[in-house]
Amino acid sequence: QVHLVESGGGLVQAGGSLTLSCAASENIFNFNAMGWFHQAPGEERELVADINVGGRRDYGDSVKGRFVIYRDGSKNTVYLQMNSLKPEDTGVYYCNARIEGTGIYWGQGTQVTVSS
């Protein structure tokens, strides 16, 4: 069973920065891709950033130019560097990992609150 543990959320003022971490219980290169998703209150979960095993990165339109996804294989961890935060970035951020033909795994989420 894959376990993902997010950390790094918190309260920050608009314009500030936060870095989220997602620690995996196994080698992150076992996954076809890993990503970060954002769920605002009352909204559906949506993709924020994604990185595949080859290193290709994709971003949601609302975060392009502000957020960066990167990884450290030696720590089995994927990060989300969030800059120029806006109040609409508030919500729970979830990490996921995908293995084709096997499944999708989710962490428990970490709360980010951006005050105006």
Side-chain angles (χ1 to χ4, degrees):
Q1 182 69 25
V2 174
H3 294 284
L4 304 172
V5 179
E6 301 100 331
S7 61
L11 174 64
V12 63
Q13 288 189 331
S17 298
L18 279 177
T19 299
L20 306 183
S21 301
C22 172
S25 58
E26 60 182 76
N27 188 331
I28 59 173
F29 293 102
N30 290 340
F31 308 126
N32 294 104
M34 296 185 71
W36 287 95
F37 287 72
H38 169 232
Q39 187 164 23
E43 302 290 333
E44 293 189 356
R45 205 171 291 187
E46 60 179 11
L47 175 70
V48 173
D50 189 84
I51 183 167
N52 73 7
V53 65
R56 172 180 167 170
R57 296 168 174 82
D58 291 304
Y59 296 93
D61 288 341
S62 64
V63 306
K64 285 179 181 176
R66 298 191 298 125
F67 291 10
V68 178
I69 186 171
Y70 61 100
R71 62 192 175 192
D72 185 339
S74 67
K75 296 181 180 179
N76 290 329
T77 299
V78 172
Y79 302 91
L80 184 68
Q81 173 69 43
M82 305 188 295
N83 302 314
S84 302
L85 282 161
K86 304 175 181 180
E88 51 264 43
D89 295 321
T90 293
V92 180
Y93 284 76
Y94 295 92
C95 173
N96 91 351
R98 305 184 293 283
I99 303 176
E100 290 181 8
T102 300
I104 300 174
Y105 306 92
W106 292 93
Q108 81 289 349
T110 185
Q111 174 71 42
V112 171
T113 303
V114 184
S115 63
S116 57

